[in-house]
């Protein structure tokens, strides 16, 4: 079935897919140079520094002219009474698609052109794939007799969605209605528009209406040779109505004379071929003679009829081979194409089966298709799946093997228009630019996104790592200090404090400054186990004998702090372990053990109270809530030990009934 136009305002549609990278002669036939985005991507392989545009004053998809600047304050004061109410909704939340629908309906209903321009122009900066609204906008301008502005709206729309078969058809009909039939340039202008249309959208599986419209128009003009030329192209393109085109082609051949639908060169070549096949010398068309000698009429009516039929048969035979190959290509893609239920853009989520079909179709085309067909399929996909970053990322990754500018183009469209709030695609874009040596551009991408979406740790840390990789240690430190200051919660501040301390210690080798950062963080967030663990890790990394006092100070902060009894016991046990393995004073070891025993008794007391129903044991509360409990068992270096390995209470009871009961060696006096 052919693709149909969707005119519902709640469901603006966009036809997808397709482009051909040849036929540059169309640009010479008319002044308007519709260099589509899909063509831009494929052409960038040959010309990385060029990115063809619509016109000299035309813009890329992400640079749609902002007509708001043309509006004056006085003009806005004359806007319809409820305009501000609808405008505020989308101004506050540009992702509110329903709000946009109501706003655009309202300005259309009011038929207020300045208000409509402001609304439509802002809308398309967020949703350029809504083909139906480009048509509405162009019709609105036309109703106000602004033919030039209507033409410009169509051009902008076709640049934003060059794969929209429906929009191309509407634009060409618009040209037919508005151009002067008496103007000798009109035919070439319309033909040029058709050429740009089939170059941009002609390989869409559902582009049959466009091709048939082109063929019918040339037929009406009496250009039978042009009709043949168009059939030569469409018969090699896998489309939904491929068989229908072949049937119409055969009718075209049977109903017209070969010398009328073939060029002179084609006619002479075919006549020579048939003459050679029949064993004739072909004296009328010897290779050394001028071509016109090969176009002479055959005077014998019977021979003439025979030649005509032979020519027709041979032409159909040649195209039958093309058709058979094309039919095979269609059959390989038919299942995928039939499974595409929503080829246009919409903000509503796609069904999982639809997403799965797109993924499998892309994998198939990457493995079996040409680069051009892969790019076209990706372009179709990112219309239907514009709000799914996985497909944009897959597209960019594919283009990395073909075109650097193509990758940049894909990332730019995804990040600046369709996915302004998706972090992963922005991070990948920044990483790509960093790979290319564009460090300032990578900085700009990350900074711009962070300004748009505040408080994302992954973006701030990526900015820090970017500066670190390129030797800007002071800027990396500044970014982390700023994150600590601007944190919205104590937990967030502690998170960044740990990152800052590790940067200072591991990268800048500044242990005193790192210690100061964590100590200050502990004063604010006394119950954060990770702060103590990271401080211990840093202290353990130095000379343990020289750094003993700092390590013990850190243990004391944890043991005497506001942590749960369970965590205090863990740190107390670690303190005993440290003094046993590295301590220089046995008195400190004995004091640490006594302190540890006191904590164990306190824990037992809390358990008994809980059993009596007075309160819940502290360690039970912490068992599932504090992930740091597990991390306490996984310290770096010498702290990577199993708790049971240093269970001093059990170890010292091995030979003694009462562990460390010094009184048993002294008789009472």
């Amino acid at each position: 079935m052919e693709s149909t136009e969707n005119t519902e305002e709640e469901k603006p549609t966009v036809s997808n897919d397709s482009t051909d990278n040849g036929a540059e002669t169309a640009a010479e036939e008319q002044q308007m140079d519709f260099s589509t985005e899909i063509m831009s991507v494929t052409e960038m392989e040959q010309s990385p520094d060029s990115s063809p545009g619509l016109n000299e004053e035309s813009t890329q998809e992400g640079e749609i002219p902002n007509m708001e600047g043309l509006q004056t304050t006085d003009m806005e004061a004359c806007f319809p009474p409820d305009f501000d109410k609808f405008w505020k909704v989308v101004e506050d939340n540009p992702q509110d698609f329903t709000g946009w629908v109501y706003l655009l309906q309202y300005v259309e209903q009011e038929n207020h052109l300045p208000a409509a321009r402001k609304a439509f122009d802002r809308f398309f900066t967020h949703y350029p794939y809504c083909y139906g609204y480009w048509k509405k906008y162009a019709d609105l301008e036309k109703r106000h007799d602004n033919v030039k502005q209507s033409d410009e709206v169509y051009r902008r729309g076709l640049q934003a969605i060059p794969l929209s078969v429906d929009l191309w058809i509407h634009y060409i009909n618009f040209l037919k209605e508005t151009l002067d039939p008496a103007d000798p340039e009109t035919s070439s202008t319309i033909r040029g528009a058709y050429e740009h249309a089939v170059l941009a959208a002609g390989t869409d599986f559902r582009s049959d209406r466009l091709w048939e419209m082109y063929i019918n128009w040339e037929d009406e003009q009496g250009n039978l040779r042009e009709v043949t030329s168009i059939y030569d192209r469409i018969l090699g393109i896998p489309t939904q109505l491929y068989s229908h085109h072949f049937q119409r082609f055969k009718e075209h051949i049977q109903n017209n004379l070969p010398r009328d639908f073939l060029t002179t060169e084609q006619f002479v070549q075919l006549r020579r071929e048939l003459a050679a096949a029949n064993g004739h010398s072909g004296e009328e068309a010897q290779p050394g003679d001028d071509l016109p000698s090969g176009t002479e009429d055959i005077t014998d009516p019977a021979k003439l009829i025979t030649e005509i039929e032979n020519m027709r048969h041979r032409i159909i035979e040649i195209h039958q081979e093309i058709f058979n190959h094309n039919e095979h290509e269609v059959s390989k893609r038919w299942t995928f194409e039939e499974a595409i239920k929503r080829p246009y853009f919409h903000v509503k989520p796609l069904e999982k089966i639809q997403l799965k079909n797109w993924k499998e179709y892309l994998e198939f085309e990457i493995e079996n298709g040409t680069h051009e067909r892969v790019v076209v399929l990706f372009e179709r996909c990112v219309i239907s799946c514009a709000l799914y970053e996985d497909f944009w990322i897959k597209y960019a990754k594919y283009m990395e093997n073909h075109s650097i500018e193509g990758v940049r183009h894909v990332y730019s469209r995804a990040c600046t228009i369709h996915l302004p709030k998706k972090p992963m695609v922005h991070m990948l874009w920044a990483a790509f630019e960093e790979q290319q040596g564009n460090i300032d551009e990578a900085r700009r991408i990350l900074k711009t996104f962070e300004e748009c979406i505040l408080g994302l740790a992954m973006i701030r840390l990526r900015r820090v790592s970017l500066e670190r990789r390129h030797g800007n240690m002071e800027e990396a430190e500044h970014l982390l200090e700023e994150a600590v200051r601007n944190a919205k919660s104590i937990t967030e501040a502690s998170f960044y404090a740990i990152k800052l301390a590790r940067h200072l210690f591991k990268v800048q080798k500044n242990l005193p400054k790192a210690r100061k950062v964590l100590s200050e963080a502990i004063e604010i967030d006394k119950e954060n186990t990770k702060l103590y663990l990271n401080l211990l890790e840093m202290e353990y990394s130095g000379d343990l004998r020289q750094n003993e006092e700092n390590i013990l100070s850190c243990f004391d902060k944890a043991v005497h702090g506001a942590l749960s009894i369970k965590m205090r016991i863990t740190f107390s046990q670690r303190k005993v372990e440290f003094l046993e393995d590295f301590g220089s004073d046995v008195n400190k070891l004995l004091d640490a053990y006594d302190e540890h025993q006191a904590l164990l008794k306190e824990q037992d007391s809390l358990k008994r109270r809980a059993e009596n129903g007075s309160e819940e044991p502290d360690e039970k509360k912490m068992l599932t809530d504090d992930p740091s409990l597990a991390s306490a068992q996984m310290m770096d270096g010498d702290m990577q030990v199993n708790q049971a390995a240093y269970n001093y209470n059990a170890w010292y009871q091995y030979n003694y009934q009462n562990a460390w009961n010094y009184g048993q060696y002294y008789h009472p006096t």
Side-chain angles (χ1 to χ4, degrees), residues 113-131:
L113 189 57
R117 284 174 174 169
K118 179 176 181 177
F120 275 106
D121 289 329
R122 179 65 68 85
F123 170 74
F124 288 128
T125 63
H126 300 287
Y127 299 104
Y129 283 166
C130 292
Y131 130 79

Side-chain angles (χ1 to χ4, degrees), residues 137 139 169 202 227 260 365 386 486 512 533 535 537 600:
Y137 191 6
D139 287 346
I169 290 174
V227 171
D260 293 334
E365 203 67 68
N486 298 335
L533 291 173
L535 181 55
E537 178 191 356
L600 291 175

Side-chain angles (χ1 to χ4, degrees), residues 239-300:
T239 64
Q240 198 169 33
L241 302 182
Y242 71 100
S243 181
H244 170 72
H245 295 310
F246 188 55
Q247 292 302 320
R248 288 202 60 193
F249 170 73
K250 290 191 288 186
E251 293 173 4
H252 168 68
I253 299 302
Q254 295 292 351
N255 296 335
N256 297 285
L257 295 176
R259 67 171 58 251
D260 293 334
F261 61 73
L262 294 176
T263 64
T264 301
E265 293 79 3
Q266 290 172 333
F267 181 81
V268 172
Q269 182 180 357
L270 184 58
R271 171 173 279 184
R272 288 175 175 175
E273 180 184 334
L274 291 176
N278 293 329
H280 299 305
S281 61
E283 293 180 357
E284 306 107 324
Q286 289 297 325
D289 297 338
D290 293 334
L291 287 180
S293 65
T295 61
E296 297 174 355
D297 291 335
I298 298 177
T299 56
D300 188 333

Side-chain angles (χ1 to χ4, degrees), residues 401-578:
N401 296 323
H402 299 274
S403 167
I404 297 301
E405 283 300 317
V407 178
R408 184 171 290 118
H409 188 62
V410 171
Y411 275 131
S412 177
R413 292 160 58 200
C415 295
T416 60
I417 300 175
H418 306 287
L419 304 171
K421 295 186 177 181
K422 294 286 188 178
M424 185 56 65
V425 69
H426 283 79
M427 292 173 67
L428 288 172
W429 185 17
F432 167 76
E433 295 294 353
E434 185 181 357
Q435 283 181 319
Q436 306 309 311
N438 301 323
I439 311 305
D440 289 338
E441 178 65 6
R443 288 191 183 104
R444 184 198 66 79
I445 293 167
L446 294 174
K447 183 178 180 181
T448 301
F449 181 76
E450 190 175 38
E451 290 171 351
C452 176
I453 308 295
L454 300 175
L456 277 185
M458 67 171 69
I459 300 298
R460 176 52 61 107
L461 295 180
R462 179 58 64 89
R463 291 183 65 191
V464 171
S465 65
L466 173 65
E467 300 299 343
R468 176 185 54 76
R469 283 192 294 273
H470 297 280
N472 301 322
M473 302 308 171
E474 291 184 2
E475 180 62 19
E477 180 182 346
H478 169 72
L479 288 170
L480 288 170
E481 289 174 343
E482 184 182 61
V484 174
R485 288 195 305 270
N486 298 335
K488 297 179 181 179
S489 66
I490 294 176
T491 302
E492 183 181 342
S494 297
F495 170 81
Y496 284 118
I498 292 172
K499 294 294 183 181
L500 174 58
R502 291 176 67 85
H503 171 79
L504 291 169
F505 177 62
K506 298 286 188 180
V507 180
Q508 299 190 17
K509 308 300 181 184
N510 192 336
L511 178 57
K513 197 170 184 179
R515 182 188 297 128
K516 183 174 182 290
V517 168
L518 287 179
S519 296
E520 291 176 352
I522 288 173
E523 290 300 317
I524 298 173
D525 191 5
K526 299 180 184 299
E527 298 183 10
N528 192 321
T529 308
K530 293 186 178 69
L531 291 171
Y532 298 98
L533 291 173
N534 278 274
L535 181 55
L536 275 173
E537 178 191 356
M538 287 193 303
E539 301 292 6
Y540 261 70
S541 299
D543 188 319
L544 297 182
R545 291 186 62 84
Q546 293 183 6
N547 209 27
E548 181 177 334
E549 291 303 321
N550 288 322
I551 295 174
L552 293 177
S553 174
C554 181
F555 276 127
D556 290 340
K557 287 180 181 179
V559 173
H560 301 146
L563 297 175
S564 67
I565 185 65
K566 184 81 170 180
M567 292 309 303
R568 289 164 61 202
I569 289 173
T570 300
F571 279 104
S572 174
Q573 183 170 317
R574 291 293 178 269
K575 182 179 178 181
V576 174
E577 296 167 9
F578 170 75

